[in-house]
Amino acid sequence: MNEPSKEDGHSPDAAAPLGFTWTGPRQGHFAAAPAPLDAPAGLAARPGRAQVTLDWAPVPGAIGYLVHRADTPEGPFQPLDHHGGDTVFAVPHAPYADTQVEAGRARWYAVAAVPDADTVGPLSAAVAAAPEAAGEAVVAVTVDAARAAGPLHRPWRPMIGSEHLSHMLSTDRTGGRPIGEELTEALRIAHDELGVAAVRAHAILGDDLGTYREVDGKPVHDFSGIDRVYDRLLGIGLRPVVELAYMPRDLARDPDHTSFFYKGVSSPPKDWDRWAELVRDLTQHLVDRYGRDEVRDHWAFEVWNEPNLEYFWSGDAAEYLRLYDTAVRSVRSVDPGLRVGGPATAAVGWVDDLLAHTQKTGAPLDFVSTHLYGSPPLDLRPALARHGREDAAIWWTEWGVHPRLSNPVAESVYAAAFLAKGMRSAAGRVDALSWWVASDHFEELGRPSRLLHGGFGLLTVGNLRKPRFWACKLLERLGPEELRVELDGDGAGGLVEAWGSRDPGDGRVAVALWNVTLDQTRSTGEPLLDRSVRLRVEGLAAPAYELRHLRVDLERSNIAAVWEAMSGGADWPDDAQWAALGEANRLEELEPARRVGAGGGVVELAFDLPMPSVSLVELVPAGGDTG
């Protein structure tokens, strides 16, 4: 069955230039649009085996670039769709590998710069390239262990997404597993093993927590349900991003406009003063209960979720701005140091609009938040600069490989390599890149019907680690200092990427490498896109190292392959199968650990890197001879 997406409930209009699909009043700007940008210069196309890698010069003011292709130099040029399920086809930077190709067939490419979600600049001059059908496909990777490029940024650490947090209190079972207990444990695993600091989730104002009701026409606030949720969250070391949504039914203007299986009310308030009082009283309660310094220093308040989609907001854009202004005034009335932000939109919508609004009105904005799936996050720094808000943080409070549940890509090794690619792209320019979500204990569109159902989680029901969990775990194993890395060869930078690191405390060098295309039609693998890697680590200080090579690929660290081999088509494991899956739920090595010499301060390795796959090569000083 074709499952609905998070954006379900809308019949898409014709795609806008970036590929966005909107309905009704959601399309376009409600503030002045930025001027189109110049066309990118220096577009070059490098053909390789089963791919063409494109490179171009950055354009000042661009948040991303839209790659176009045509069959002839005259066009028509059409944007390349990654088939990632979202409506955004733009990428944040070069290089870009086109793998939707035919060997020997020349195509013409052009690139446009985009300043925001609705504006596309002129196309660059076109260039042609024809991919190859065969040939030696090698990527050389050189890491200088003696030259640190600065601290290694970890954009996965600030936060992760979760199903509504009252789900932690559930005593029901899914697949025979306890929902609340396992969701809580999944969030603890994200904290303990991935370094995650906070959780962003929907519906903290939902009626299941009894936050607001009206008795004889008068509002009654009860925050005891929220206390139970947040007490449990803090008990495992995590803080909340307080998403101020959805509207309590008794306060809603449109109480029957609901979202999801649990029917969150996605309506403006019927009484704006009572909305202001609810937000103010909740904020004051949190400060009183958990401490002013705790909430000021470690919490944040985000106004609503995806109001640019009619499914999540029955009001119009002006009413969202009123909701934002009212909420942030109420939060800041409790303490002017509390962090507030938005617009928490789908598909990079309304970012410039909220920036322009707060610039005009002076409303506080400590962070800009938006969402994206199927592509690395765009570069919003130019948008902030246009409005004089360089001080605001950039939070992608939802990000993932695909926005649709029940998509097989969710369980795949492809998703692991995609996660690595996106996190590396975001490092240094994004303050938080929040994977949506931690656990497959998730009921937005109904509870899971089987173990491998295409869930959004890094962990399955039963808290088995999916390949993408292991990819994030490998990135977390990188050292605190980033090292300079150079890549050269067929698919370097577009398919194959590397992230080098060192730990000055113990001299350990760790290099993460992955091979992935953004083209999800190749997500199950493509032998012609596999690459051979020649890794050279220079500038090593010790005479010998213990070498360990960890790998996520179709055969290793892939719990989906283990379950498919043992299940015989079953929906859920039995007790013996759960035990066997637990034993198999581990990060595996490409080869046994061994000792290597570092003559002249150099270690060289050669290995295959399939598409998709992720590797982590670790070198730990051993001292002495290699033996």
Side-chain angles (χ1 to χ4, degrees):
M1 188 175 83
N2 189 21
E3 292 286 340
S5 72
K6 283 171 52 55
E7 293 81 10
D8 204 54
H10 306 281
S11 300
D13 294 337
L18 281 185
F20 293 92
T21 52
W22 305 96
T23 58
R26 304 299 194 250
Q27 189 167 2
H29 286 277
F30 49 91
L37 303 174
D38 293 337
L43 178 63
R46 294 181 280 119
R49 193 178 73 188
Q51 63 89 27
V52 172
T53 297
L54 303 173
D55 223 327
W56 58 86
V59 176
I63 68 168
Y65 302 87
L66 198 57
V67 178
H68 293 68
R69 193 177 69 182
D71 292 332
T72 70
E74 293 79 22
F77 284 87
Q78 298 293 332
L80 276 174
D81 182 354
H82 319 307
H83 302 283
D86 209 329
T87 55
V88 179
F89 306 153
V91 295
H93 50 70
Y96 176 90
D98 177 21
T99 59
Q100 300 179 61
V101 297
E102 299 175 36
R105 181 182 178 184
R107 302 286 185 90
W108 277 259
Y109 295 92
V111 178
V114 298
D116 80 337
D118 299 297
T119 309
V120 180
L123 290 175
S124 67
V127 298
E132 301 162 0
E136 187 181 21
V138 178
V139 175
V141 180
T142 303
V143 179
D144 188 346
R147 297 181 64 198
L152 190 133
H153 182 216
R154 303 168 193 268
W156 60 90
R157 278 187 175 180
M159 71 184 73
I160 198 166
S162 174
E163 179 55 277
H164 61 140
L165 292 177
S166 61
H167 214 40
M168 288 195 299
L169 307 178
S170 174
T171 58
D172 292 348
R173 290 178 173 264
T174 291
R177 313 292 291 195
I179 291 173
E181 177 184 323
E182 285 200 347
L183 176 56
T184 303
E185 176 64 9
L187 294 172
R188 186 200 62 76
I189 289 168
H191 173 269
D192 292 355
E193 299 188 26
L194 304 180
V196 172
V199 175
R200 184 234 182 211
H202 303 325
I204 199 64
L205 300 180
D207 289 296
D208 63 331
L209 291 177
T211 302
Y212 178 98
R213 68 186 189 279
E214 294 185 359
V215 179
D216 297 329
K218 296 182 180 180
V220 176
H221 299 169
D222 181 353
F223 302 127
S224 60
I226 292 178
D227 292 345
R228 292 176 65 204
V229 167
Y230 285 167
D231 286 355
R232 178 168 291 198
L233 194 66
L234 268 68
I236 57 174
L238 288 161
R239 275 72 177 235
V241 174
V242 184
E243 180 198 284
L244 295 170
Y246 293 110
M247 195 63 60
R249 178 170 294 276
D250 282 3
L251 185 54
R253 184 184 70 195
D254 309 314
D256 294 328
H257 193 282
T258 63
S259 305
F260 298 141
F261 170 80
Y262 54 78
K263 297 188 181 301
V265 179
S266 44
S267 163
K270 66 182 181 184
D271 186 314
W272 290 92
D273 290 339
R274 290 185 176 184
W275 165 251
E277 291 167 3
L278 173 62
V279 174
R280 183 177 61 249
D281 287 358
L282 171 62
T283 306
Q284 186 66 62
H285 174 80
L286 296 175
V287 166
D288 291 344
R289 181 177 180 84
Y290 299 106
R292 186 173 299 272
D293 291 344
E294 163 70 21
V295 177
R296 183 197 297 122
D297 295 344
H298 301 293
W299 297 35
F301 296 81
E302 184 183 42
V303 182
W304 214 253
N305 172 66
E306 299 190 351
N308 60 328
L309 298 181
E310 185 180 352
Y311 183 62
F312 293 114
W313 181 243
S314 66
D316 59 20
E319 288 177 305
Y320 172 71
L321 293 180
R322 185 177 182 185
L323 186 88
Y324 179 87
D325 288 349
T326 304
V328 299
R329 279 198 304 267
S330 292
V331 171
R332 286 292 190 88
S333 71
V334 174
D335 187 321
L338 297 177
R339 290 184 295 173
V340 294
T345 42
V348 208
W350 292 5
V351 169
D352 263 271
D353 306 286
L354 183 61
L355 286 165
H357 172 76
T358 59
Q359 184 181 33
K360 178 180 178 181
T361 64
L365 181 69
D366 297 308
F367 61 88
V368 172
S369 61
T370 189
H371 306 159
L372 184 65
Y373 291 84
S375 186
L378 302 183
D379 188 351
L380 297 182
R381 292 175 297 179
L384 272 63
R386 279 196 297 273
H387 299 281
R389 298 309 306 261
E390 296 94 331
D391 58 329
I394 298 172
W395 290 0
W396 294 82
T397 52
E398 285 187 28
W399 179 71
V401 67
H402 201 283
R404 189 175 294 276
L405 278 168
S406 301
N407 190 306
V409 75
E411 320 294 1
S412 69
V413 173
Y414 175 90
F418 173 89
L419 182 148
K421 184 180 186 71
M423 292 296 178
R424 179 66 188 94
S425 172
R429 61 179 181 83
V430 167
D431 297 285
L433 185 55
S434 179
W435 186 269
W436 189 259
V437 287
S439 169
D440 276 355
H441 280 295
F442 189 83
E443 62 173 7
E444 285 185 356
L445 301 176
R447 293 177 182 174
S449 59
R450 59 200 312 265
L451 179 63
L452 298 184
H453 64 284
F456 290 136
L458 293 178
L459 298 109
T460 70
V461 170
N463 284 334
L464 304 169
R465 278 76 165 164
K466 297 185 186 183
R468 59 195 182 201
F469 177 92
W470 291 128
C472 200
K473 178 75 170 181
L474 292 181
L475 297 184
E476 179 64 12
R477 289 175 72 119
L478 292 171
E481 293 184 342
E482 184 175 344
L483 296 176
R484 298 182 184 277
V485 177
E486 295 181 0
L487 297 98
D488 184 56
D490 185 348
L495 289 175
V496 175
E497 297 177 88
W499 202 352
S501 72
R502 72 179 182 190
D503 188 332
D506 60 11
R508 182 177 65 97
V509 173
V511 183
L513 308 100
W514 52 89
N515 181 1
V516 71
T517 170
L518 290 181
D519 170 20
Q520 293 196 21
T521 68
R522 305 292 192 271
S523 63
T524 57
E526 169 52 68
L528 290 175
L529 294 175
D530 296 350
R531 292 298 183 261
S532 297
V533 169
R534 304 291 184 264
L535 174 62
R536 177 182 172 90
V537 183
E538 304 174 342
L540 294 167
Y545 288 81
E546 293 293 330
L547 167 66
R548 191 178 184 197
H549 190 161
L550 303 167
R551 168 63 70 82
V552 181
D553 60 23
L554 296 178
E555 299 175 353
R556 300 169 185 84
S557 313
N558 183 4
I559 201 67
V562 176
W563 172 237
E564 288 167 3
M566 74 166 61
S567 68
D571 290 338
W572 294 104
D574 58 28
D575 290 345
Q577 289 170 328
W578 277 119
L581 288 168
E583 289 294 322
N585 188 213
R586 61 183 182 274
L587 187 56
E588 299 182 68
E589 296 184 325
L590 181 64
E591 58 177 333
R594 58 189 172 94
R595 190 177 174 92
V596 295
V602 174
V603 166
E604 293 184 306
L605 303 171
F607 52 90
D608 292 333
L609 194 64
M611 200 303 292
S613 64
V614 185
S615 274
L616 183 75
V617 174
E618 291 183 324
L619 294 167
V620 179
D625 298 327
T626 60

mmCIF file of all heavy atoms in Angstrom, residues 110 194 295 315 397 428 564:
data_model
loop_
_atom_site.group_PDB
_atom_site.id
_atom_site.type_symbol
_atom_site.label_atom_id
_atom_site.label_comp_id
_atom_site.label_asym_id
_atom_site.label_seq_id
_atom_site.Cartn_x
_atom_site.Cartn_y
_atom_site.Cartn_z
ATOM 1 N N ALA A 110 23.538 22.635 -16.787
ATOM 2 C CA ALA A 110 23.609 24.043 -16.394
ATOM 3 C C ALA A 110 23.161 24.122 -14.944
ATOM 4 O O ALA A 110 22.407 23.264 -14.459
ATOM 5 C CB ALA A 110 22.732 24.915 -17.275
ATOM 6 N N LEU A 194 25.551 8.604 20.974
ATOM 7 C CA LEU A 194 25.732 9.555 19.881
ATOM 8 C C LEU A 194 26.004 10.969 20.370
ATOM 9 O O LEU A 194 26.228 11.869 19.557
ATOM 10 C CB LEU A 194 24.503 9.561 18.964
ATOM 11 C CG LEU A 194 24.101 8.204 18.363
ATOM 12 C CD1 LEU A 194 22.874 8.361 17.479
ATOM 13 C CD2 LEU A 194 25.259 7.579 17.589
ATOM 14 N N VAL A 295 16.736 26.306 32.307
ATOM 15 C CA VAL A 295 15.887 26.532 31.138
ATOM 16 C C VAL A 295 16.520 27.566 30.217
ATOM 17 O O VAL A 295 16.494 27.416 28.987
ATOM 18 C CB VAL A 295 14.468 26.947 31.582
ATOM 19 C CG1 VAL A 295 13.585 27.248 30.379
ATOM 20 C CG2 VAL A 295 13.836 25.852 32.436
ATOM 21 N N GLY A 315 -4.783 28.158 9.749
ATOM 22 C CA GLY A 315 -4.767 29.599 9.548
ATOM 23 C C GLY A 315 -3.962 29.986 8.330
ATOM 24 O O GLY A 315 -3.459 29.153 7.576
ATOM 25 N N THR A 397 15.402 21.352 12.287
ATOM 26 C CA THR A 397 14.804 20.573 13.372
ATOM 27 C C THR A 397 14.109 19.308 12.886
ATOM 28 O O THR A 397 13.593 18.539 13.713
ATOM 29 C CB THR A 397 13.843 21.437 14.208
ATOM 30 O OG1 THR A 397 12.901 22.096 13.350
ATOM 31 C CG2 THR A 397 14.610 22.486 14.985
ATOM 32 N N GLY A 428 30.084 22.941 10.299
ATOM 33 C CA GLY A 428 30.682 24.256 10.175
ATOM 34 C C GLY A 428 29.764 25.334 9.676
ATOM 35 O O GLY A 428 30.100 26.522 9.757
ATOM 36 N N GLU A 564 15.969 -10.272 7.361
ATOM 37 C CA GLU A 564 15.413 -10.813 6.128
ATOM 38 C C GLU A 564 15.857 -12.263 5.919
ATOM 39 O O GLU A 564 15.091 -13.095 5.419
ATOM 40 C CB GLU A 564 15.813 -9.940 4.951
ATOM 41 C CG GLU A 564 15.079 -8.603 4.938
ATOM 42 C CD GLU A 564 15.680 -7.603 3.971
ATOM 43 O OE1 GLU A 564 16.643 -7.975 3.260
ATOM 44 O OE2 GLU A 564 15.206 -6.463 3.928
#
